[in-house]
């Protein structure tokens, strides 16, 4: 190696380390693990106003939804869709009784969302969300967008149980 090349290497900047992709940045085709189950990410709904993402996860035929929100710390909740119907977004109650559980309204918000991949709502737009919690820490989530309701039940997931396996 010539002396000029050695001197040039002294002054050149080192290559920046490749940053690991966070769960908030995952997109369709990525692989993650939640509570020891490996899922492929097949869709993504991003609410920029809240720094929140709902990932559509698929494990074989099983579909689940991982809600990720960055506040003081990153919070995770894993949901599965349930059957249910509401008629009017203005009449969503503050207490819901489902399967001998009472869910109490914790938070209600709305915001613009961007959708990619296979998700329950196929268009970007304004989305209204109601998040409930029962006394035994089970969660219920109701989403309304473009005249359609979706309901999910789930539970919180600790951050140690969520990791990126492969990201593109």
């Amino acid at each position: 190696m010539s002396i000029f090349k050695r001197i040039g290497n002294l002054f050149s900047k080192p290559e920046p380390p490749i940053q690991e992709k966070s769960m908030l940045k995952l997109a369709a085709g990525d692989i993650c693990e939640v509570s020891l189950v490996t899922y492929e990410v097949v869709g993504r709904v991003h609410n920029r106003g809240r720094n929140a993402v709902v990932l559509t996860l698929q494990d074989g035929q099983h579909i689940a939804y991982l809600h990720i929100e960055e506040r003081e710390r990153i919070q995770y909740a894993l949901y599965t869709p349930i059957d249910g119907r509401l008629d009017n977004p203005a009449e969503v109650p503050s207490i819901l009784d489902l399967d001998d559980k009472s869910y109490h309204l914790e938070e209600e918000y709305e915001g613009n969302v961007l959708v990619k991949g296979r998700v329950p709502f196929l268009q970007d737009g304004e989305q209204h969300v109601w998040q409930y919690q029962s006394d035994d820490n089970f969660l219920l989530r109701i989403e309304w967008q473009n005249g359609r309701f979706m309901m999910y039940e789930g539970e919180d997931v600790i951050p140690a149980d969520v990791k990126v396996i492969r990201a593109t």
Side-chain angles (χ1 to χ4, degrees):
M1 183 181 286
S2 74
I3 187 128
F4 294 114
K5 187 162 187 149
R6 287 183 184 178
I7 293 172
N9 286 340
L10 289 174
F11 295 109
S12 66
K13 292 183 181 179
E15 296 265 337
I18 298 174
Q19 290 185 342
E20 187 175 312
K21 201 167 193 182
S22 76
M23 290 296 292
L24 281 168
K25 303 289 184 197
L26 291 183
D30 294 336
I31 307 293
C32 65
E33 184 178 284
V34 181
S35 299
L36 301 176
V37 178
T38 303
Y39 293 101
E40 177 186 4
V41 177
V42 295
R44 169 187 170 92
V45 177
H46 183 206
N47 185 333
R48 288 185 302 202
R50 293 184 57 93
N51 201 18
V53 173
V54 175
L55 299 176
T56 304
L57 305 176
Q58 185 170 4
D59 174 36
Q61 293 296 321
H62 180 254
I63 298 283
Y65 300 91
L66 182 65
H67 178 255
I68 308 164
E69 187 166 5
E70 186 173 23
R71 293 185 177 184
E72 300 87 34
R73 59 181 180 82
I74 296 180
Q75 299 172 344
Y76 301 97
L78 187 63
Y79 292 95
T80 55
I82 60 173
D83 290 332
R85 191 180 118 184
L86 295 169
D87 296 322
N88 185 350
E91 297 176 1
V92 174
S94 62
I95 297 175
L96 279 170
D97 292 318
L98 296 173
D99 298 333
D100 299 327
K101 285 186 186 155
S102 288
Y103 293 93
H104 301 273
L105 184 63
E106 291 273 316
E107 189 172 17
E108 175 184 351
Y109 60 89
E110 59 186 66
N112 255 343
V113 294
L114 302 172
V115 300
K116 290 184 181 174
R118 297 189 324 220
V119 295
F121 301 103
L122 301 177
Q123 297 176 357
D124 298 343
E126 188 77 18
Q127 184 180 66
H128 299 265
V129 177
W130 295 264
Q131 293 187 152
Y132 295 81
Q133 185 171 3
S134 69
D135 291 336
D136 52 355
N137 293 324
F138 283 97
L139 304 174
L140 179 74
R141 179 180 172 91
I142 300 173
E143 297 174 346
W144 182 81
Q145 185 177 342
N146 296 330
R148 180 174 177 221
F149 278 102
M150 284 295 295
M151 297 177 74
Y152 313 90
E153 64 181 354
E155 55 191 341
D156 287 323
V157 178
I158 61 173
D161 282 351
V162 180
K163 68 179 181 178
V164 176
I165 301 293
R166 185 192 69 194
T168 55

